[in-house]
Every structure is written in C-alpha cells, then in structure tokens.
Amino acid sequence: MASHRKWSPTGTRIAGIRTPALATAALTSVALLSQTANAAPSADSKPSIEEVEKKVDDLYHQAEAATEKYNATREKTAQQRKRVDSLLDDVAQRTEKLNTARDELGSFAAAQYRTGASAPDTATLLLADNPQDYFDQTQLMSRLTSRQKVAVDDYITEQAATTKKRAEASQSLQTLTTTQSALRTSKADVQRKLAEARDLLSKLTTEEKARLAAIEKKKQEAADRKAAELAQQQAAAEKKAQEAAAQQQTTTGTTGTTGTTGTTGSSATDSSYTAKADKALAFARAQVGKPYVWGATGPGSYDCSGLTQAAWKTAGVDLPRTTWDQVNVGTTVPLSDIKPGDLVFFYDDISHVGLYVGNGMMIHAPKPGAYVREESIFYGGESIIHSVVRPA
C-alpha cells in the first residue's frame, strides 16, 4: 500500500510558526525596503543643477506674482484708509453740529423754565433714540415757536446724518481691517517664496554655482541672438516701408493726386509718442544699477511695475500700480511692431513688465538680488512674452 505522507512545505520557522518560502521572501523584501527608506538619501537623489535653476526661477516668478498682489492690496488699503479718515472727519464735524443743535434746544427749555411757560419735555426729546418718533407721538410741534421748530429740524437732520455716517465709518473700518490682513498675508507669501529660493541657492557648492552661472550665460547668449534677429527683421521692415513710401511719393508727384492726410496724421501721432517715449526711456536709463526691491516705487529702488510707472510718469502718463492694470492701458500691438517706450509683459499671469528700448532690448527690474538693467526681451524665451502695449 502506498504511503500517505502529509505535505510539509519547506520554509523557516518564525515565532513557532512554519512559513512558506514565498512568505519568507516577501518579509525579506519588506525588511530591505524598510532599510532603504530609513537610510540617508544617496548622492543620486540630489536634484541636478538644471532642476535647481528651474525651481529657483519658478520661485522668483511666484514671488513676483505675489508682489503684484501685494501692490494691488496695498493700493486698495491706502484708498480704504483715506476713505476711513474722510468719514471719521465727517462724523466729527457732524457730531459738533449735532451738539450745537442740542445746546440750542436746551437753551429754549431753560428759557421757558425761567419764565414759567409751558415747555415741551426737552430732556425727553434730547434723550430720545428717534426725535421724529417723539414728535409724532406727541403734538409737541404745534406748541413750538418758528425759531424752535427750525432748531428741532436741524437737530433731527444732524442726528440722522451723523448716525448714517457713523455706520459708514464703522463698515469702512471693518473693510480696512480685512484689507490690512490681506496685505500681511500677501507680504508673508512673497517673503516665503524668496526665503525658499535663497535656501536652495545657499546649498549649492562652489562648483555648482559655477555651473549655474554657465547655464545663465548660455540663456543670455540665446536671448541676445533672438534680440538681434528681431532688430534685423524690424530694420528690414522699416527699409521696405521707406522704399514703399518713396515710391508712393514718386507716383503722387507724377499723377498730381493728393490724399496724404492720413499719412501726415499718422506721422504726427508717431512723433508725439516718440517724444513721450524718449522721456520715459531717459528716466529708465538713469535708474540702471539701482536694486530690485519688491513693492518699491523709487527713487532708490524699484520692482518691475514700479519702474515702468515711474518712467512713464515723467512723460506725463499716469500708469496704474500693478502689471495687471498696466496691461490694460493703451493699445496692444504685435511684437513685430514693437517700438521704444512700449511695455512688454511676461508670463500667462502677467506678473512682469519691462520698458522696450529698441533692438530687442528692454530696461527692467528683474528679480530680488538683481539690479535694474538692460536685457533682451527674450531673457526667458519667446514663449513667456505675453503682450506688448503702447501706453500713450
């Protein structure tokens, strides 16, 4: 008879339990994974210098977007503070008028008391929450002299106006508190992004910093080449336009026809813009070398929109404070038609702006740690150029 043996799998015994070989392998894998997870990161896990460069650029971009939000909130806070101050001044003046009206009513009551005349209950009137209701409930008005009626009307009017203004001031104070809180939040957001970027850069070795500088140099060279290409294209287009204009003048002189009014008007407009742009550019050039400071509007330092605002102000053009508002002032033109003085906006969120100087170059306040400088509009690649706006 065949022997019937009970199957006994091979394996190891753990805590008195025999485990299959597969389970043993699984436990071994778990142990190895645990050891790997607890081990210190290897050198291979360190981000590459290209990844660090991209991360730092992203953080600076985020910080600049947060700066524009801070600028907008600060503008709103300043406007709200002015409104609160105005309302509080108005409340103070109306309160003074109300006190004067109350004093006049009190003098009537005192005079009537001294003469023994039948006087209205002025004390009740002055303490009433709503004097008009008090008059409606009694027939006091019929017992007052014309002078007393005028005084009562003045008192009622001033009390209503003062109450309304106090409510407005209270609401404005609440709004101011909210905007101030938002201002602190946006400020902290900028500081957090910049601190993270500084932390990443501080961890780079000397060799890595040199590699990062080399990457930046290559990007700058590529940007300069793109700027030169744009300058050549514009020069060719301008030459072609001049030749066409000369040909038109020849034709016009031969046929004796006229009709150059539109061209003359266009030239006058171009001349006016050029004069203003020259003033803005002269100011911007004088700021080259001054530090970028987020939220700054000069004269010692600037952020990007603070510089363009200050530059065009010298030409008599008042630009709004933020890039998000500046992009809506003036006329949007194609990149191929860009002229000195135009504003160049960058990124989908329109968080950066520069002042075009010609030949594919601009003057801008780039980022924290940098200075106002002249640089190619392609400094970050053509893809990040959002739009070009002619502000005047």
Side-chain angles (χ1 to χ4, degrees), residues 250-300:
T250 301
T251 304
T252 301
T254 302
T255 60
T257 57
T258 57
T260 59
T261 304
T263 303
T264 302
S266 176
S267 298
T269 301
D270 290 346
S271 177
S272 174
Y273 179 74
T274 299
K276 292 179 180 179
D278 286 345
K279 291 181 180 180
L281 289 171
F283 177 89
R285 288 191 179 98
Q287 312 314 307
V288 170
K290 293 184 178 180
Y292 174 103
V293 174
W294 66 273
T297 57

Side-chain angles (χ1 to χ4, degrees), residues 89-217:
D89 287 343
D90 195 4
V91 167
Q93 293 174 5
R94 290 187 178 279
T95 299
E96 186 175 351
K97 289 181 180 180
L98 185 63
N99 290 337
T100 299
R102 183 182 288 112
D103 291 343
E104 189 171 0
L105 285 176
S107 66
F108 287 144
Q112 290 174 328
Y113 179 78
R114 286 194 301 270
T115 60
S118 175
D121 189 355
T122 307
T124 303
L125 167 65
L126 296 178
L127 294 174
D129 291 333
N130 191 330
Q132 189 61 58
D133 289 346
Y134 177 80
F135 286 119
D136 291 342
Q137 293 170 5
T138 67
Q139 295 181 343
L140 182 62
M141 289 298 289
S142 63
R143 293 152 52 194
L144 298 176
T145 66
S146 59
R147 185 181 174 188
Q148 288 173 322
K149 289 179 181 179
V150 171
V152 168
D153 286 340
D154 288 345
Y155 175 75
I156 293 173
T157 300
E158 287 303 327
Q159 187 190 54
T162 303
T163 300
K164 180 180 179 181
K165 287 297 179 182
R166 283 173 177 166
E168 289 180 15
S170 177
Q171 181 62 43
S172 292
L173 280 169
Q174 292 179 9
T175 302
L176 178 59
T177 300
T178 300
T179 56
Q180 287 175 329
S181 177
L183 187 65
R184 289 191 294 270
T185 299
S186 58
K187 180 178 180 179
D189 192 24
V190 176
Q191 292 173 330
R192 184 169 54 254
K193 300 297 183 186
L194 294 180
E196 190 174 347
R198 286 193 298 268
D199 183 59
L200 280 172
L201 292 173
S202 68
K203 294 177 180 178
L204 295 179
T205 65
T206 302
E207 181 183 355
E208 288 171 333
K209 289 179 181 178
R211 289 171 56 197
L212 182 60
I215 291 173
E216 290 294 332
K217 184 179 180 180

Side-chain angles (χ1 to χ4, degrees), residues 217-235 335-336 338 346 356 358-362 375-385:
K217 184 179 180 180
K218 287 183 178 179
K219 288 174 61 177
Q220 184 176 348
E221 290 172 349
D224 290 343
R225 285 194 297 271
K226 286 289 294 182
E229 290 174 9
L230 177 62
Q232 290 173 358
Q233 292 169 4
Q234 287 190 310
L335 181 61
S336 59
I338 191 170
F346 299 88
Y356 189 67
N359 296 322
M361 306 295 284
M362 67 177 174
E375 190 170 25
S376 168
I377 62 174
F378 302 102
Y379 76 101
E382 187 173 358
S383 64
I384 70 167
I385 296 177

